Amino acid sequence: SLCAAGEPNLSYQELKDLKKANVLHIDVRERWEIDRFGKIPESINIPLGELMEALQMEPTEFKEQYNQKMPSKSDPVVFSCLAGTRSKQALGFAMSLGFS
């Protein structure tokens, strides 16, 4: 399941369409889940337990750690996980840090 503030539940096709518009896709599953079930193309993996810290990093540190430009607080971001529970938590974390 995928979560975005404007649209709490997205289909895979909706995500594919959003990715064409430069949306950052953060997969909050654990690394072992990525290894076992596969990586979603063009997503970055930041396990939920690391997300709060990651979203508060300096942009250069974020880029080094995740090989991706750090999103600004107004950039469109989509979170995903296996069932939707962690992506909803991730959305709450991001919004509590001022992401819109």
Side-chain angles (χ1 to χ4, degrees):
S1 281
L2 310 161
C3 283
E7 185 67 46
N9 294 301
L10 297 171
S11 70
Y12 186 66
Q13 187 57 51
E14 287 170 318
L15 176 64
K16 284 174 72 174
D17 293 343
L18 280 173
K19 284 178 171 243
K20 292 175 192 161
N22 248 356
V23 169
L24 178 62
H25 176 197
I26 299 176
D27 188 333
V28 296
R29 293 178 295 162
E30 296 298 320
R31 288 186 178 84
W32 69 265
E33 291 176 282
I34 304 289
D35 293 341
R36 184 169 177 191
F37 301 112
K39 181 180 188 304
I40 298 171
E42 298 170 26
S43 67
I44 62 170
N45 176 231
I46 305 176
L48 186 62
E50 293 176 23
L51 186 66
M52 284 291 278
E53 183 181 335
L55 293 177
Q56 296 177 81
M57 286 178 170
E58 291 296 320
T60 52
E61 186 183 0
F62 187 94
K63 176 102 172 116
E64 275 177 27
Q65 177 94 18
Y66 300 107
N67 199 29
Q68 176 77 40
K69 179 183 167 284
M70 182 165 179
S72 75
K73 295 202 186 307
S74 61
D75 285 344
V77 178
V78 172
F79 297 101
S80 68
C81 63
L82 201 58
T85 304
R86 289 173 288 179
S87 58
K88 281 186 178 68
Q89 285 181 288
L91 179 61
F93 288 165
M95 292 178 80
S96 76
L97 292 171
F99 284 81
S100 58

